[in-house]
Amino acid sequence: MIISIIGTVFVTNQVVDLLGDYNYGLFTFVNSITVWLTILSTALNASFVRFATLEKEENGKDCAKTNTIYFKIFIIIGIVVLILGLGIVA
């Protein structure tokens, strides 16, 4: 952990010099959004596995209902991210 902190201190200075203050701020913002979306995706995947398993145990058949619900959630998240991405670029 200490090596990671020391590395970040040295690399951050180089990245700021390379990108400039404004672009470094944008880089940091995009990086944080990416991390949050990764956490959200991981959580949704884990919950999908849980509820798909429960549905399969209860019904003894394919989990089409759970697939449909989670597919819609991922489509909505994708549309929101696309709109926000286009808003940042514009």
Side-chain angles (χ1 to χ4, degrees):
M1 179 159 167
I2 293 175
I3 295 172
S4 175
I5 293 171
I6 293 171
T8 302
V9 168
F10 290 115
V11 171
T12 302
N13 290 330
Q14 298 297 322
V15 172
V16 170
D17 289 341
L18 181 69
L19 295 177
D21 291 337
Y22 177 77
N23 288 333
Y24 178 72
L26 185 62
F27 170 76
T28 305
F29 174 71
V30 169
N31 192 26
S32 66
I33 295 297
T34 304
V35 169
W36 277 106
L37 289 175
T38 302
I39 292 170
L40 178 66
S41 176
T42 304
L44 282 174
N45 287 334
S47 65
F48 171 76
V49 169
R50 178 180 184 270
F51 287 113
T53 304
L54 288 175
E55 183 178 354
K56 193 167 186 174
E57 285 178 359
E58 288 177 4
N59 299 333
K61 59 179 183 179
D62 197 17
C63 49
K65 183 179 177 184
T66 306
N67 285 339
T68 304
I69 291 170
Y70 279 92
F71 180 72
K72 288 178 184 177
I73 290 171
F74 276 115
I75 291 295
I76 291 170
I77 290 171
I79 290 171
V80 169
V81 168
L82 182 65
I83 291 171
L84 289 175
L86 292 175
I88 290 174
V89 172

